[in-house]
Amino acid sequence: MTAGDSVAGRIAAWPGSHTAWHRAQASLAGGVSTGLRASMPPHPLFFHHGAGSRLWDVDGNDYLDYVLGWGPVIVGHSHPAVVAAVGEQLRRGQTFGSGHVLEYEVAERLCARIPGAGRVLWSNTGSEAVQVALRLARAHTGRRRYVKFEGHYHGWTDPMLVSYRNLAEDGRPVLGSAGQHPGVLADVSVLPFNDSAAVAELLSQPGSDIAAVLVEPVLCNTGVLPPAPGFLEELRAACDRSGAVLVFDEVITGLRIAAGGAAERYAVTPDLTVLAKALAGGFSLSAVTGRTDIIEQVTSGVVHAGTYNGNPIALAAAAATLDLLSGPDVYPHLEAVSAQLAAGLRTTFARHGVTADVHHVGPVLQVSPGITEVRTARDVLAADWAFYNELIVEALRRGLFLLPGGRWYLSTEHSAADVAQTVAAMDDALAELGRAGRLPVPVAEI
Ligand code: PMP
């Protein structure tokens, strides 16, 4: 299907994906490589290839892609410049276990681009980069405990998977996984996002022993909630007063909501920044950037290891991705297509009498069905996700690949025509649900 074709439900079922998923279950746990993917309704799809803003599944259906690999594919699938850079590096070797030019050339570019970046540590995933940031903070302060916020995700490691989806009424830290070490609960204080008074109070307590405050500066993982005016500034001030290390987890926001991420957009410089996803345009690469004195500790006692750290293939992809993310029109374009999509979705939901909060920060957009205005992570968790799961299956039938949970990512390759097609497809999906009597009752009528 190309832009302008009919958006009426054209996919009845996914026999190829269904067969692949059943076969995969005999060799992969749940038939997927990461547990969350098993929750994609109606069942995980299996893809054959992608190009630009589109994906093709093994049944030959094509989709406008708003999943983007759960974030990394910011310059679109198989961008020729990324493919060429990676191909060239592949001919020269895969990994050296020693120095090479790309590792410092790309680091220099991050130092020029990310506020507060004096040094760069390369690693492979967001989870491991967060782990080394916490270790650096503990070594720097000689303290043990850390602060995170409700609904914030910093990877799947034992210390970090706390109070992400399961939140206690009284704000107590809650483990996120069976098998997780319960001892981590003694080390973490979980506070409500945007409650700067709570942070200031905790950090001012004698003996609070806080080494680090970790925050998604925009709470992308639960509702794409922006920081309240002044919140990041107050975190900065509280950390300055107490000596705790301020860590911005910019795994999603980095290089995406501005050239220099949230630190640039909100003009607050953390001590350490964690980057991943958009960094290498789809390849596995993460980084910690930040204060030289904190990061240089890896030369004097802090262990940071990794066979694949500074991998040349990933860095070749990163160099090409940074080139593509350096044009003057990149961020205005991402902002414009995202605003167009948000406006179109709002109009469409309203036309069908469906209550939903739709908002975006740069090219990260959130739909929260059943809620007029989302303010907190708890609001987002209470949204009407049963309805949304039905909606995204109808959207899938009309050629839109969407994440469960309401978050949408746009790439540099998404055009105004793509967005217009998307809004028409969503309109048709909502009309179909309306005909079937499956639209929720508007909130005002309850
Ligand atoms: N931090 C944030 C803010 C994230 O969104 C994620 C992944 N979604 C991570 C850390 C963990 O990154 P990874 O999946 O690469 O380990």
Side-chain angles (χ1 to χ4, degrees):
M1 178 161 125
T2 53
D5 285 355
S6 162
V7 294
R10 62 190 166 89
I11 309 171
W14 297 267
S17 277
H18 200 256
T19 304
W21 184 47
H22 277 278
R23 176 170 167 184
Q25 286 172 42
S27 57
L28 302 172
V32 292
S33 295
T34 183
L36 267 180
R37 289 182 204 160
S39 67
M40 304 283 270
H43 55 78
L45 289 198
F46 284 69
F47 288 99
H48 181 264
H49 68 282
S53 58
R54 283 167 196 265
L55 278 175
W56 281 259
D57 70 13
V58 292
D59 288 298
N61 304 305
D62 72 294
Y63 306 88
L64 278 164
D65 182 14
Y66 292 94
V67 173
L68 298 182
W70 297 63
V73 189
I74 190 166
V75 293
H77 293 278
S78 291
H79 193 291
V82 176
V83 172
V86 168
E88 154 124 20
Q89 182 56 45
L90 272 173
R91 283 188 287 279
R92 291 166 34 195
Q94 286 71 62
T95 192
F96 306 126
S98 193
H100 60 94
V101 170
L102 280 170
E103 54 182 4
Y104 61 82
E105 278 185 357
V106 182
E108 286 164 5
R109 293 176 69 177
L110 284 192
C111 288
R113 190 167 172 137
I114 307 297
R119 291 287 185 277
V120 175
L121 288 181
W122 295 122
S123 50
N124 306 283
T125 67
S127 298
E128 59 178 310
V130 170
Q131 183 62 43
V132 73
L134 178 61
R135 183 176 285 182
L136 286 165
R138 283 175 162 154
H140 177 73
T141 57
R143 303 176 190 166
R144 172 171 164 166
R145 306 189 71 258
Y146 51 97
V147 172
K148 79 174 286 285
F149 295 93
E150 286 185 341
H152 290 226
Y153 182 71
H154 303 292
W156 60 271
T157 60
D158 276 5
M160 287 303 149
L161 196 62
V162 174
S163 299
Y164 164 50
R165 277 289 164 267
N166 19 2
L167 305 180
E169 278 300 316
D170 61 2
R172 257 179 314 110
V174 184
L175 295 174
S177 170
Q180 198 175 355
H181 195 306
V184 298
L185 295 177
D187 287 348
V188 59
S189 291
V190 177
L191 299 176
F193 183 49
N194 281 331
D195 187 344
S196 45
V199 182
E201 197 203 313
L202 176 64
L203 265 61
S204 68
Q205 280 169 17
S208 62
D209 203 26
I210 302 297
V213 174
L214 293 110
V215 63
E216 285 188 66
V218 176
L219 175 42
C220 290
N221 276 293
T222 310
V224 191
L225 298 176
F231 176 68
L232 297 177
E233 288 83 346
E234 290 176 36
L235 282 190
R236 177 68 278 173
C239 287
D240 286 343
R241 283 194 301 271
S242 78
V245 173
L246 180 58
V247 182
F248 278 8
D249 182 343
E250 297 226 40
V251 165
I252 293 180
T253 50
L255 310 164
R256 192 187 309 269
I257 64 168
E264 176 185 316
R265 190 163 174 137
Y266 298 103
V268 174
T269 302
D271 299 305
L272 297 176
T273 299
V274 180
L275 300 168
K277 299 205 193 254
L279 187 52
F283 285 77
S284 179
L285 181 68
S286 61
V288 178
T289 71
R291 271 172 52 184
T292 302
D293 59 330
I294 298 179
I295 293 184
E296 281 285 344
Q297 294 177 106
V298 299
T299 65
S300 60
V302 171
V303 173
H304 170 239
T307 303
Y308 297 103
N309 289 355
N311 176 263
I313 307 293
L315 283 165
T321 303
L322 283 171
D323 286 344
L324 292 166
L325 294 179
S326 296
D329 299 333
V330 168
Y331 293 96
H333 172 76
L334 289 172
E335 202 73 48
V337 281
S338 192
Q340 181 194 348
L341 179 58
L345 291 178
R346 276 186 209 114
T347 306
T348 303
F349 282 122
R351 222 161 70 74
H352 293 276
V354 172
T355 302
D357 175 301
V358 180
H359 66 267
H360 71 103
V361 177
V364 195
L365 181 144
Q366 175 75 27
V367 175
S368 302
I371 294 190
T372 39
E373 194 190 346
V374 163
R375 291 204 180 85
T376 68
R378 286 171 192 259
D379 293 343
V380 177
L381 296 177
D384 188 352
W385 298 116
F387 159 68
Y388 195 74
N389 280 346
E390 293 199 50
L391 178 60
I392 65 176
V393 173
E394 288 307 324
L396 199 60
R397 292 186 198 287
R398 289 156 179 81
L400 303 180
F401 185 46
L402 306 180
L403 281 170
R407 184 159 74 252
W408 299 45
Y409 289 109
L410 292 99
S411 77
T412 54
E413 300 303 288
H414 283 79
S415 64
D418 288 341
V419 170
Q421 181 183 327
T422 300
V423 173
M426 285 296 279
D427 195 60
D428 198 61
L430 287 162
E432 174 63 33
L433 289 175
R435 281 191 293 276
R438 285 150 65 202
L439 288 181
V441 180
V443 165
E445 292 175 23
I446 293 174

